Amino acid sequence: MSTVPDITLADGTVIPQLGFGTWQVPTEQAYEAVKKALEVGYRHIDTAAIYGNEEGVGRAISESKIDRDELFVTTKLWNDSHKADDARRGITESLRKLGLDYVDLYLIHWPATVKYGDAYIEAWDALQDFKAEGLIKAAGVSNFHIPHLDRLNGPAPAIDQLESHPTFQNAQLDKDLQSRGIVLEAWSPLGSGQDLDNPVIDEIGKDLGKSIAQVIIAWHLAKGHIVLPKSITPARIEENFDVFGFELSDDQIAAIDALEAGNRTGSDPETADF
Ligand code: A2P
């Protein structure tokens, strides 16, 4: 039984607040990791066309025999496919590889303005068509800043998936998104591992009898983020799911809030040239 809280997005979509990330995990390893994650109780899995692991993810899902409506599966449209026809090929290919009739959430992976200009605006229109056709249940974006969001036509995205972790929180953007009813979904929630030796968080973990990773995930949950920790290590997959029997105090949350250090570990959406 999953103890993961659900969040209801502005478009009515219900999404488990803790999901399982698969970035940089090749397809065979993704198969093993997702299989383990589903055994442990995760029901929300995040992948992307560019990760090259949708087949492995899909195989783990299909072998699990878990009812489709108990699962929440996200994938993402790659940057070179923002034009309507390319986007349609993108979703078709992703569904084929995943072995699914629909995904619960489909994201435009990056605005990708340096390389593709404002083609992401066309991609957003395409996602509305896919939603109307039932190929995707919810539409969202990833790595979008406010000016990107402002240029979209139609309904606002339900979600913006962004780099967020204690030493690079994206706190101002989080506030701006909240004021628009858009939920921040955190990628690299552990700082791609870089925040896992932080002495302040270590201290909090020792007080609570929890690991640094568990404290960071609890901090994201307390902030209202949707959080997607990633691991290929079975014991860590279990550890990262065991985050619901305790809560951080306001002081502990404030102490982690104070760790912002501008430590971006991934690409900057403004300058990303891929
Ligand atoms: P591994 O996959 O080898 O287990 P993020 O989710 O921020 O991208 O961070 C992922 C990185 O953090 C991976 O290198 C992963 O290692 C590591 N990691 C994930 N969970 C834990 C954990 N509970 N303890 C230590 N390291 C972890």
Side-chain angles (χ1 to χ4, degrees):
M1 275 300 276
S2 165
T3 48
V4 178
D6 286 326
I7 288 190
T8 303
L9 304 176
D11 66 358
T13 302
V14 177
I15 180 170
Q17 197 181 357
L18 175 66
F20 185 69
T22 64
W23 182 39
Q24 290 176 325
V25 184
T27 200
E28 269 312 306
Q29 265 183 335
Y31 164 72
E32 295 294 343
V34 171
K35 188 172 155 189
K36 174 68 185 176
L38 293 171
E39 281 164 17
V40 166
Y42 294 79
R43 291 294 178 267
H44 170 180
I45 310 292
D46 183 273
T47 181
I50 196 66
Y51 299 171
N53 61 19
E54 287 169 314
E55 277 169 347
V57 169
R59 190 150 49 89
I61 287 172
S62 120
E63 287 179 11
S64 76
K65 306 280 183 232
I66 296 167
D67 281 351
R68 178 65 185 91
D69 42 348
E70 282 179 32
L71 290 170
F72 193 99
V73 182
T74 300
T75 193
K76 312 185 191 85
L77 178 70
W78 188 237
N79 303 347
D80 63 1
S81 301
H82 284 173
K83 294 210 168 296
D85 288 351
D86 296 330
R88 185 166 291 279
R89 274 191 287 277
I91 184 64
T92 306
E93 194 61 0
S94 283
L95 290 174
R96 185 186 66 74
K97 287 183 175 163
L98 285 162
L100 298 175
D101 301 328
Y102 67 89
V103 286
D104 298 275
L105 177 64
Y106 197 46
L107 304 178
I108 301 176
H109 205 145
W110 292 86
T113 49
V114 173
K115 195 157 180 192
Y116 299 104
D118 58 8
Y120 68 90
I121 297 170
E122 186 171 340
W124 183 245
D125 295 339
L127 263 56
Q128 306 315 307
D129 293 342
F130 304 158
K131 190 172 169 182
E133 294 165 35
L135 300 174
I136 69 176
K137 298 283 187 201
V141 296
S142 183
N143 303 302
F144 274 45
H145 290 163
I146 297 298
H148 304 124
L149 293 166
D150 279 342
R151 299 188 66 202
L152 301 178
N153 301 307
I159 275 195
D160 194 354
Q161 189 180 121
L162 298 165
E163 177 173 351
S164 177
H165 48 89
T167 61
F168 185 82
Q169 300 177 19
N170 249 325
Q172 183 58 50
L173 185 49
D174 188 10
K175 251 187 228 147
D176 294 343
L177 292 173
Q178 279 177 37
S179 73
R180 292 162 180 243
I182 301 171
V183 177
L184 187 158
E185 187 172 37
W187 63 256
S188 285
L190 309 172
S192 279
Q194 288 185 29
D195 288 359
L196 289 170
D197 57 1
N198 188 285
V200 172
I201 308 174
D202 187 37
E203 199 57 38
I204 294 171
K206 286 195 173 118
D207 286 346
L208 294 167
K210 297 290 164 187
S211 71
I212 295 185
Q214 288 171 321
V215 172
I216 295 177
I217 294 166
W219 172 79
H220 283 289
L221 295 170
K223 301 289 259 184
H225 300 164
I226 296 165
V227 54
L228 305 169
K230 173 197 66 186
S231 176
I232 54 167
T233 312
R236 292 173 174 172
I237 294 172
E238 282 182 35
E239 179 185 320
N240 296 347
F241 195 73
D242 180 18
V243 288
F244 298 105
F246 69 103
E247 273 185 20
L248 303 179
S249 69
D250 290 346
D251 285 350
Q252 288 168 330
I253 292 170
I256 299 175
D257 288 351
L259 296 175
E260 172 63 49
N263 177 35
R264 191 194 286 281
T265 64
S267 296
D268 181 342
E270 300 298 333
T271 54
D273 59 357
F274 44 84

